[in-house]
Amino acid sequence: NAGVTQTPKFRILKIGQSMTLQCTQDMNHNYMYWYRQDPGMGLKLIYYSVGAGITDKGEVPNGYNVSRSTTEDFPLRLELAAPSQTSVYFCASSIAPRGGHEQYFGPGTRLTVT
Amino acid sequence: DAKTTQPPSMDCAEGRAANLPCNHSTISGNEYVYWYRQIHSQGPQYIIHGLKNNETNEMASLIITEDRKSSTLILPHATLRDTAVYYCIVRVGDAGGTSYGKLTFGQGTILTVHP
């Protein structure tokens, strides 16, 4: 049981390039989330999904897109990278969060846009 | 979701109990108190959560005041590996409405455990 895995661990992008951050979970969780964490700050929600085929925006969705074609995978797409997207990106998953279920986080992807 | 207030930093000697306070004076009746921690450069790790009663697991204890306006996370025997940022988060338990289970992270408390 690997939990939540993310690839790549590190990436450097030039301004205007695009890339996809991969996230996979093997716990059969319906809910999945993408957060970003800027230096010295708490995490902010980018997008979330409540199940395959269903996604919605979080607090800071501009510049990102997501898809959820399977229960396991929740990739995050950056289309035109900007320096403001330099951050650490965390993917998380949980059972449908009723009655207080925890979220499980991946190890993160550290992205630098120059 | 209710806002939380935590001290920015705390110190603790190794082997002693670490008591981390959290104020959530505007908490609603259906909101849970969650604690997560983030060890340097890693993803956040779930510690414990509770609604009204005190809770204990293998990692920590959670003490919630009777009026639910504040809580304390207790690490009974802190080790150097417990050095981390600790986040107190208040969140609605049900997935309905607009909560969708999201976690709102504040600045947290930097706990430093020293030898």
Side-chain angles (χ1 to χ4, degrees):
Chain A
N1 200 343
V4 179
T5 57
Q6 293 182 239
T7 57
K9 286 188 170 56
F10 303 93
R11 185 71 186 269
I12 298 174
L13 281 182
K14 294 190 187 304
I15 294 171
Q17 287 185 321
S18 61
M19 75 165 294
T20 299
L21 283 67
Q22 301 291 344
C23 175
T24 300
Q25 54 92 8
D26 62 0
M27 297 173 283
N28 202 32
H29 286 169
N30 284 326
Y31 280 61
M32 295 188 74
Y33 310 83
W34 274 105
Y35 295 87
R36 60 174 286 174
Q37 185 175 32
D38 298 333
M41 306 297 287
L43 281 72
K44 293 185 178 179
L45 184 67
I46 306 171
Y47 270 94
Y48 70 99
S49 169
V50 303
I54 306 170
T55 64
D56 209 344
K57 297 176 181 178
E59 302 169 83
V60 290
N62 291 342
Y64 307 95
N65 278 301
V66 293
S67 60
R68 185 94 181 272
S69 57
T70 67
T71 299
E72 296 77 19
D73 300 307
F74 190 40
L76 178 71
R77 178 84 177 160
L78 282 71
E79 290 295 348
L80 290 170
S84 61
Q85 293 177 304
T86 294
S87 191
V88 182
Y89 292 83
F90 292 102
C91 179
S93 73
S94 75
I95 302 171
R98 295 183 182 276
H101 289 286
E102 62 266 32
Q103 286 184 20
Y104 296 86
F105 285 80
T109 293
R110 282 146 189 80
L111 176 67
T112 301
V113 182
T114 62
Chain B
D1 293 340
K3 191 172 180 178
T4 61
T5 304
Q6 299 177 251
S9 64
M10 294 183 66
D11 287 334
C12 179
E14 190 176 21
R16 304 296 293 268
N19 297 286
L20 290 86
C22 180
N23 184 292
H24 32 78
S25 58
T26 59
I27 192 170
S28 299
N30 62 346
E31 288 180 316
Y32 287 73
V33 179
Y34 286 80
W35 283 85
Y36 282 75
R37 73 180 182 183
Q38 189 174 23
I39 297 170
H40 180 63
S41 298
Q42 298 181 20
Q45 177 189 24
Y46 165 82
I47 301 173
I48 198 167
H49 74 277
L51 183 62
K52 295 179 182 178
N53 300 321
N54 298 337
E55 301 288 344
T56 296
N57 63 20
E58 64 277 5
M59 289 182 67
S61 295
L62 174 60
I63 308 298
I64 302 174
T65 57
E66 193 168 341
D67 63 7
R68 303 212 318 126
K69 293 185 177 182
S70 66
S71 61
T72 301
L73 177 75
I74 301 173
L75 307 179
H77 306 287
T79 70
L80 298 178
R81 284 176 293 188
D82 291 321
T83 293
V85 180
Y86 286 77
Y87 296 100
C88 171
I89 299 168
V90 172
R91 197 198 80 188
V92 176
D94 287 339
T98 60
S99 71
Y100 44 81
K102 75 163 186 171
L103 296 172
T104 300
F105 288 81
Q107 298 286 78
T109 295
I110 301 172
L111 175 68
T112 303
V113 181
H114 51 84

